Amino acid sequence: MSDQFSWSQNWYPISPLSYLDASVPTPVTVLGKKLVIWQNKKQQWIVMDDQCPHKLAQLSLGKIEEDGTLMCRHHGWCFNEEGNCTKIPMLVEEEAIKTACNSPRSKVTVYPTQVKQGLLWVWPDNKDTAFEDCQLKEPAIIPECGLDVTATDWHLLEVPVGYIVSVESSFDPSHAQFLHEGLAGFSPDKTVPIASFKAVEEISAEAGFTLKHSGYNLLNKDMEATRKFTPPCCNTTIYRYPNGNLMLSQLYFIPTEPGRCRYIGKFITSMNFSQKNLILDRLPKKLKTGLSHLSTYQLSDQDLMVMHAQETLQAQLEKPWHKSYFLPSKADMGIMTFRQWLDQFAGGKPAYENVKETPYQSLTDEELYDRWHRHTKYCSSCRATVDFLGKVETYSRYSMIIFSILTLLLLLLPISGKLAILSTIFAVISVLISLLSDDLRHRFISGLPRNGLPIRKLYDR
């Protein structure tokens, strides 16, 4: 087994299948590589370089033809699932077409893919042996632990902070009581110092490491947690409680480019936390899912606030992590172990390709709390909800105008005043629905308030 980790010769989950539209190509970035995802006529998912060899136009801007090829929007060049060019509209002579299409310069690099546990995985290595090499490894999927892995849906975010602080935060459970105060029962008052936090297996380049630790608040103080890092990007955490209950979180942190990271995760538990909601339960599935996603933003905003500040300061200090951090408690073991793995086996950071790294730049609040680029544009349920709310707002405005005119006519004409009052009530209700729809729609686009000062309030006090 190699003592050095290869960033490109590994499986990365790039998207839940539920986030992909088979009718259009989808762009994605992994390790600095600009890739395009599309589905051919055989319903196979293809991942290739997102650039046409003609003039480097993005293939993700193209369309999927009826014959199952991917067409470049710029000049109509078409490519099959093997990356071979099949059509060049501006060439008419058969011999010229054959020569150009058979040239290695017209070929687009295709990467190995597979589907497991509802995720599309890619092997982002462009070596000639990539399709053979990928057979030697398996993706880091959810392990068998007695829980139904299909019980909950995958969730995807793409955030403006980097891979290192993202993974590091997931191995730092004690921060939740303080950073997420007021959410999910977290509170500094309920904090319990972590009594035990240790590695249970030898750390290695390919297998990563496994940690066990005790609880960190009054609700989970008796549980035993296992956190396993499977390179390059997986954190599998299982909480085992004395009464036999289990909680599992499967988190993937895909390094897209410096200062950005894609999160894919799900949470599964044997405990029943579901609550009946007479209104939400009657909504269409996509609308119900979209509205439920709104509840996740507060927690991720809090994480982003701290991680962004951390990366900005780290770039300014220009010191290695072990000279910047002071980690005196057992609770810091997860942070230290991940950093040690990164330094010892993986070059200290992801190996991005064709990317010139620059110091991490401070973001504006508009950039940091931008929800459209973080989640909404990727999620079909949230996009459908935004579209629905936009229509509700428009119809409500029309309704307001109609009922306002009707009220005016009823007041001018010798007709019952009760009808005028009723019409006025409907006009007011239309205004309220319009304002509510507009406010909800805005929350899918940005975390900054629509009215008042553009300041993100992350805590009630």
Side-chain angles (χ1 to χ4, degrees), residues 5 204 220 354 442 458:
F5 178 76
S204 72
N220 67 21
N354 304 317
H442 175 73
L458 293 175

Side-chain angles (χ1 to χ4, degrees), residues 19 124-125 305 410:
Y19 281 68
D125 187 58
M305 172 190 68
L410 289 171

Side-chain angles (χ1 to χ4, degrees), residues 205-408:
E206 297 297 331
F209 56 84
T210 301
L211 305 169
K212 286 187 181 293
H213 67 81
S214 56
Y216 47 88
N217 63 43
L218 294 175
L219 299 177
N220 67 21
K221 63 179 181 178
D222 296 323
M223 67 82 182
E224 180 185 71
T226 302
R227 294 179 186 267
K228 179 172 177 54
F229 174 68
T230 306
C233 59
C234 178
N235 178 348
T236 302
T237 298
I238 301 177
Y239 286 4
R240 291 181 171 85
Y241 291 85
N243 61 6
N245 282 326
L246 296 176
M247 292 173 62
L248 178 145
S249 67
Q250 186 79 351
L251 303 174
Y252 298 101
F253 302 92
I254 300 91
T256 57
E257 53 192 338
R260 295 195 66 84
C261 190
R262 173 169 283 211
Y263 298 176
I264 299 175
K266 71 161 58 186
F267 172 83
I268 314 169
T269 179
S270 61
M271 293 176 270
N272 184 16
F273 291 132
S274 62
Q275 295 179 345
K276 293 286 184 181
N277 188 305
L278 294 178
I279 298 177
L280 280 178
D281 289 345
R282 284 170 170 73
L283 294 176
K285 186 177 187 302
K286 282 200 171 184
L287 186 58
K288 178 182 175 181
T289 300
L291 292 173
S292 70
H293 284 181
L294 277 180
S295 64
T296 67
Y297 281 113
Q298 181 82 347
L299 187 143
S300 61
D301 281 351
Q302 292 169 348
D303 280 325
L304 286 177
M305 172 190 68
V306 170
M307 289 190 289
H308 170 246
Q310 179 183 343
E311 284 194 300
T312 303
L313 288 171
Q314 186 73 44
Q316 293 171 350
L317 291 173
E318 296 184 345
K319 292 180 181 180
W321 69 272
H322 52 83
K323 291 187 177 180
S324 300
Y325 293 3
F326 178 51
L327 307 173
S329 73
K330 291 181 180 178
D332 299 322
M333 177 58 70
I335 300 169
M336 290 189 290
T337 307
F338 169 64
R339 285 286 194 163
Q340 288 167 2
W341 176 87
L342 202 61
D343 288 347
Q344 185 176 349
F345 302 107
K349 59 184 178 181
Y352 298 102
E353 294 192 21
N354 304 317
V355 174
K356 184 178 180 181
E357 290 195 54
T358 57
Y360 187 76
Q361 300 296 312
S362 180
L363 304 174
T364 64
D365 283 354
E366 287 79 8
E367 294 170 321
L368 189 60
Y369 302 121
D370 181 332
R371 294 177 174 180
W372 171 257
H373 292 290
R374 191 195 316 177
H375 172 75
T376 304
K377 74 176 184 181
Y378 302 108
C379 177
S380 62
S381 295
C382 289
R383 292 198 309 272
T385 303
V386 169
D387 186 53
F388 172 79
L389 290 171
K391 291 177 180 177
V392 169
E393 181 189 355
T394 300
Y395 294 148
S396 297
R397 288 180 178 178
Y398 289 151
S399 175
M400 175 196 66
I401 295 171
I402 291 170
F403 281 114
S404 297
I405 294 173
L406 180 60
T407 297
L408 184 61

